[in-house]
Amino acid sequence: MATTTEDLLKQALEQNAQLIQQVQQLTEQVAYLTRQRYGSRSERIDPNQTSLLGDDSVFTNPEQTGQQSEEVTDDEPLMPRKPKATRRQLLAKNLPVRTTIVPKTDEHCDQGHDLRTMGTHFVREVVHRIPGRLFVEKIYEQTYKCMTCELEDEGSHVYHGAAPKALIAHSIATPSLVASILHQKYILGTPLYRQLKDWQRAGVLLSETTVANWVIKCAELVKPVYDLMRTHLMSQGFLQGDETPYQVLQEPGKSAQSKSYIWVARSITRCDTPIVVYAYANTRSGKFAQSLYSGFPGVLQCDGYAGYNLLGDTGKNVNGPDKNCTVLPNAYGCHLNSRIIRSFISV
């Protein structure tokens, strides 16, 4: 069957359409993978974190159940095994203990005689967890009236109890509820938006804006405590300080990719009342270091960042990121070989 020019042209157009469709699909795949690999994210993974799927991953190494036989050669020295933790080492001493005694369903022997208790037989020790429970508290003020006064002057004499002031006005927030949110965010590193689903499953519908406002307002409530801690900290003779980048989303006047900073000032661990103070700044300028350490007359150990050089009028600055630092304040000497470890969690 002879093939005409029109047939050849039709076949070429069909092949061209198929190729265009294939190119579009591949282009979309490349764009998707590029976004996944290089796109901007609100959450970053520490590049120094070991991969779970690498060669030394816990998923690539076989689990040792204790039943496998191990090959031991004469060339390999036997390493002492770490002793298995005992039950007392696994459980904290301050955990509450509840004892359960299971009685015999039929308190008769095989011959039908009555049985007398003689003691208990230990079976096992287990740990239970009761998830956090929520409940709604409706607060009323008891009202009263004085019948005697009403009879005397025929007026109304009404009294009522004084309910405690709310944590946040016109809000369902309570200290225990906000404390749980702050614990998850700053101790466990769980962002606010991730907590919303858990609260929804527990029966409370919260928005991210509402929870964020709670955090801000409660931070304002405890600011006097923060100021008192900072005042006490600045009265110390020796402090350690550092700063680390911190990403903030939707910050006015700055892009999400720009860097902000968390500054930390802390007393030494041997201090009678150790204090660690964190301060946020959208800049790494040395002027912020001046404001943070304002009124501090002692010695500050920090890294070699030039911004700390502005503290010349505020206190003595000792720079030493990776070397021994010998500090001689007043009439005594102090030899240091330490560095502030940056242990911040971006949440």
Side-chain angles (χ1 to χ4, degrees), residues 209-337:
T209 302
T210 299
V211 177
N213 288 334
W214 289 356
V215 174
I216 295 173
K217 292 182 178 180
C218 288
E220 296 173 353
L221 291 176
V222 299
K223 189 177 184 303
V225 179
Y226 177 89
D227 294 337
L228 184 62
M229 292 175 60
R230 183 189 174 280
T231 301
H232 182 74
L233 182 67
M234 294 302 149
S235 66
Q236 304 292 322
F238 187 91
L239 295 181
Q240 297 170 320
D242 199 4
E243 79 291 331
T244 190
Y246 192 84
Q247 185 181 16
V248 179
L249 302 179
Q250 300 178 359
E251 187 173 11
K254 297 186 66 175
S255 63
Q257 290 75 19
S258 61
K259 289 184 178 180
S260 299
Y261 291 87
I262 293 291
W263 296 68
V264 61
R266 63 158 300 159
S267 58
I268 59 176
T269 56
R270 295 183 180 181
C271 180
D272 295 335
T273 55
I275 296 177
V276 181
V277 170
Y278 294 91
Y280 166 79
N282 57 4
T283 178
R284 202 187 179 194
S285 171
K287 293 182 179 180
F288 185 82
Q290 282 184 318
S291 64
L292 177 62
Y293 294 99
S294 175
F296 173 58
V299 177
L300 172 66
Q301 180 192 5
C302 56
D303 56 20
Y305 172 53
Y308 290 106
N309 295 334
L310 297 179
L311 301 180
D313 297 334
T314 304
K316 300 176 183 179
N317 181 15
V318 180
N319 296 326
D322 294 310
K323 60 183 180 180
N324 296 337
C325 303
T326 303
V327 187
L328 297 173
N330 298 332
Y332 58 90
C334 177
H335 187 71
L336 301 175
N337 183 13

Side-chain angles (χ1 to χ4, degrees), residues 42-167:
S42 60
E43 298 177 10
R44 301 284 181 88
I45 298 178
D46 187 353
N48 298 323
Q49 180 177 347
T50 305
S51 173
L52 292 177
L53 301 177
D55 295 336
D56 57 348
S57 168
V58 295
F59 296 109
T60 57
N61 296 329
E63 180 183 1
Q64 181 62 257
T65 62
Q67 299 177 354
Q68 296 95 330
S69 60
E70 298 181 358
E71 296 182 0
V72 180
T73 61
D74 297 337
D75 298 335
E76 297 180 358
L78 293 177
M79 299 298 294
R81 292 188 176 183
K82 184 179 179 180
K84 186 177 180 180
T86 62
R87 184 62 57 84
R88 292 184 178 180
Q89 294 174 334
L90 291 177
L91 303 179
K93 296 181 179 180
N94 58 349
L95 286 179
V97 178
R98 177 171 47 175
T99 302
T100 301
I101 300 177
V102 182
K104 193 175 182 298
T105 55
D106 183 12
E107 297 183 355
H108 296 86
C109 70
D110 296 338
Q111 307 299 327
H113 303 149
D114 293 337
L115 299 177
R116 296 179 58 185
T117 58
M118 56 174 290
T120 57
H121 169 67
F122 178 77
V123 179
R124 61 180 177 272
E125 186 179 48
V126 294
V127 177
H128 294 272
R129 179 181 181 273
I130 301 176
R133 298 175 180 176
L134 299 179
F135 67 92
V136 178
E137 180 184 15
K138 294 185 177 182
I139 302 176
Y140 297 88
E141 291 179 340
Q142 185 68 53
T143 57
Y144 309 87
K145 68 176 180 178
C146 180
M147 300 298 297
T148 303
C149 293
E150 289 186 358
L151 292 175
E152 291 179 354
D153 57 14
E154 297 182 355
S156 178
H157 297 269
V158 179
Y159 304 88
H160 57 80
K165 185 178 179 180
L167 178 65

Side-chain angles (χ1 to χ4, degrees), residues 139-198:
I139 302 176
Y140 297 88
E141 291 179 340
Q142 185 68 53
T143 57
Y144 309 87
K145 68 176 180 178
C146 180
M147 300 298 297
T148 303
C149 293
E150 289 186 358
L151 292 175
E152 291 179 354
D153 57 14
E154 297 182 355
S156 178
H157 297 269
V158 179
Y159 304 88
H160 57 80
K165 185 178 179 180
L167 178 65
I168 300 175
H170 311 293
S171 171
I172 63 172
T174 57
S176 59
L177 185 62
V178 176
S180 178
I181 294 175
L182 297 179
H183 172 77
Q184 293 186 51
K185 176 173 173 60
Y186 294 105
I187 304 300
L188 303 181
T190 306
L192 295 179
Y193 74 91
R194 285 190 179 178
Q195 300 183 32
L196 301 181
K197 289 293 184 181
D198 283 340

